[in-house]
């Protein structure tokens, strides 16, 4: 199949707004959770968000947070895809314990499946460019992404070109990391072979919602600790007045969806934080998958274009 390559662009230069491309959400859900139906099926249910227009687009594999549904990120995925990216968000499990090792294994299986299966699920004349593949994760999904990017135990047939942690968390507290532990508390110790990294943190993530619940992104195992262990090039943003789940959809349904409004300290509204996370992700991906760093540089130098107040911005380059 022949397709023209469309460079990800927007009708405006504002990565914090919805981009040029009309997007399509594609839900691939095997009948039995955690079971592969046949040889052509993905290893787990998927939510794919893709541009609907002809082209060849970079791919982002996005891992959900602990006990969350991939559907809770629909609006964020659509924002990213509208700027010319194919986003694949697997449902890694229905239920899970403390150990994230199985999630690393599943993510490896999904990554290895992409080259043979993803193209068949996309809109007509849309093709994935798997030489430009990024790995991202939120919360525990961020932990899994960092662990997989460094491990030698699970090898993928495709190479990741960029790594993103959206408020990543490595456990309950320093000294109470969940297995497998990712943080070593040694500065710049992550062995990522020069892979570019984006770390996004939340100012309210380390604040308890109330005395009965722990903080959702406790100090000692959160974004700051992940950033401290990254090497060049790394880009670090902390949203001041927003919480650990404020990048989710406005309406998250069901018991788990309602819990996302109750368990963590939240900001006033999810929409600005979601636009910020989507915009920074797009700017980072354009820089390291597309070779255009203008928007990424602008997020540091022109704070007026950012839809939220930033607590901290650092570029380790």
């Amino acid at each position: 199949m022949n397709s023209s390559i469309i460079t990800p662009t927007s009708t405006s230069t504002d990565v914090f707004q919805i981009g040029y491309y009309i997007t399509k959400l594609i839900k691939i859900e095997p009948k039995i959770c955690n079971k592969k139906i046949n040889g052509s099926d993905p290893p787990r249910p998927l939510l794919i968000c893709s541009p609907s227009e002809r082209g060849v687009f970079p791919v982002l594999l996005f891992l959900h947070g602990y006990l969350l549904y991939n559907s809770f990120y629909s609006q964020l995925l659509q924002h990213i895809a509208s700027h010319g990216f194919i986003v694949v968000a697997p449902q890694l499990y229905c239920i899970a314990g403390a150990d994230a090792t199985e999630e690393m294994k599943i993510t490896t299986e999904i990554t290895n499946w992409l080259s043979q299966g993803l193209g068949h699920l996309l809109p007509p004349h849309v093709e994935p460019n798997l030489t430009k593949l990024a790995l991202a994760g939120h919360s525990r999904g961020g932990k899994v992404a960092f662990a997989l990017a460094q491990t030698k135990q699970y090898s993928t047939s495709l190479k990741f070109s960029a790594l993103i942690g959206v408020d990543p968390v490595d456990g309950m507290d320093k000294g109470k990391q969940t297995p497998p532990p990712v943080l070593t508390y040694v500065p710049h110790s992550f062995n990522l072979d020069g892979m570019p990294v984006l770390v996004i943190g939340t100012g309210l993530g380390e604040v308890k919602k109330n005395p009965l619940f722990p903080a959702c992104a406790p100090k000692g195992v959160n974004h700051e600790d992940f950033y401290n262990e990254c090497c060049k090039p790394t880009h670090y943003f902390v949203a001041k007045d927003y919480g650990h789940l404020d990048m989710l959809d406005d309406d998250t349904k069901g018991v788990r969806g309602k819990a996302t409004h109750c368990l963590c300290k939240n900001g006033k509204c999810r929409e600005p934080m979601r636009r910020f996370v989507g915009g920074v992700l797009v700017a980072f991906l354009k820089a390291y998958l597309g070779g255009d760093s203008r928007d990424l540089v602008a997020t540091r130098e022109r704070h007026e274009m950012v839809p939220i107040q930033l607590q901290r911005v650092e570029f380790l380059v």
Side-chain angles (χ1 to χ4, degrees):
M1 182 187 300
N2 294 323
S3 297
S4 61
I5 297 178
I6 302 176
T7 303
T9 58
S10 171
T11 51
S12 78
T13 58
D14 190 351
V15 293
F16 299 105
Q17 302 293 337
I18 297 299
Y20 170 79
Y21 294 102
I22 298 171
T23 62
K24 182 176 182 180
L25 272 175
I26 306 162
K27 192 173 184 180
I28 309 298
E29 188 168 10
K31 295 178 182 178
I32 303 175
C33 188
N34 289 352
K35 296 294 183 181
K36 191 174 180 180
I37 302 303
N38 60 57
S40 63
D41 283 336
R44 289 294 186 272
L46 301 178
L47 184 63
I48 301 170
C49 194
S50 168
S52 60
E53 302 167 45
R54 176 188 295 267
V56 181
F57 301 95
V59 178
L60 173 66
L61 182 59
F62 187 93
L63 310 180
H64 61 81
Y66 185 54
L67 296 181
L68 299 178
Y69 292 127
N70 55 4
S71 60
F72 291 174
Y73 300 87
S74 296
Q75 290 175 285
L76 175 62
L77 305 187
Q78 288 173 303
H79 184 128
I80 298 167
S82 75
H83 287 270
F85 300 94
I86 297 166
V87 191
V88 180
Q91 187 65 46
L92 296 175
Y93 49 79
C94 291
I95 57 174
D99 195 328
T101 303
E102 182 67 13
E103 290 145 70
M104 294 172 60
K105 179 182 177 183
I106 294 167
T107 304
T108 300
E109 293 175 358
I110 293 167
T111 304
N112 293 339
W113 168 87
L114 290 174
S115 57
Q116 66 184 32
L118 177 60
H120 303 296
L121 302 177
L122 299 175
H125 310 299
V126 172
E127 297 182 31
N129 183 354
L130 293 172
T131 65
K132 295 183 177 182
L133 174 65
L135 178 62
H138 168 232
S139 188
R140 171 154 147 166
K143 166 195 174 80
V144 173
F146 273 86
L148 185 61
Q150 299 180 81
T151 187
K152 306 300 181 185
Q153 182 178 359
Y154 302 107
S155 59
T156 59
S157 57
L158 299 171
K159 182 180 179 181
F160 293 110
S161 300
L163 177 64
I164 301 161
V166 180
D167 220 19
V169 181
D170 195 25
M172 299 298 295
D173 203 347
K174 187 173 182 179
K176 296 181 180 179
Q177 294 165 265
T178 52
V182 175
L183 297 169
T184 64
Y185 302 99
V186 177
H188 311 303
S189 60
F190 283 160
N191 181 17
L192 297 170
D193 296 325
M195 186 189 305
V197 179
L198 170 65
V199 178
I200 301 172
T202 59
L204 300 181
E206 62 189 47
V207 179
K208 292 183 178 182
K209 175 81 171 182
N210 60 58
L212 299 178
F213 298 112
C216 289
K219 198 170 181 64
V221 287
N222 68 12
H223 56 89
E224 184 176 16
D225 305 282
F226 277 83
Y227 170 65
N228 288 339
E229 298 194 26
C230 289
C231 301
K232 298 178 181 180
T234 298
H235 304 266
Y236 181 42
F237 297 85
V238 181
K240 183 179 179 183
D241 297 315
Y242 291 88
H244 186 62
L245 301 177
D246 281 337
M247 70 293 300
L248 300 183
D249 290 356
D250 292 325
D251 183 17
T252 47
K253 300 182 183 301
V255 174
R256 294 190 193 187
K258 289 181 173 59
T260 66
H261 293 278
C262 304
L263 297 179
C264 300
K265 183 72 172 178
N266 303 316
K268 293 181 179 179
C269 176
R270 286 179 172 178
E271 189 266 346
M273 180 62 178
R274 190 171 55 245
R275 281 203 298 124
F276 167 69
V277 172
V280 170
L281 274 164
V282 167
F284 176 77
L285 293 173
K286 287 175 68 176
Y288 287 102
L289 300 186
D292 182 356
S293 62
R294 289 175 294 178
D295 287 317
L296 185 60
V297 171
T299 59
R300 179 179 63 175
E301 297 181 351
R302 294 172 51 203
H303 286 187
E304 71 277 4
M305 70 179 283
V306 179
I308 63 169
Q309 185 176 353
L310 295 173
Q311 181 172 304
R312 186 174 173 185
V313 179
E314 293 187 21
F315 284 17
L316 182 64
V317 294

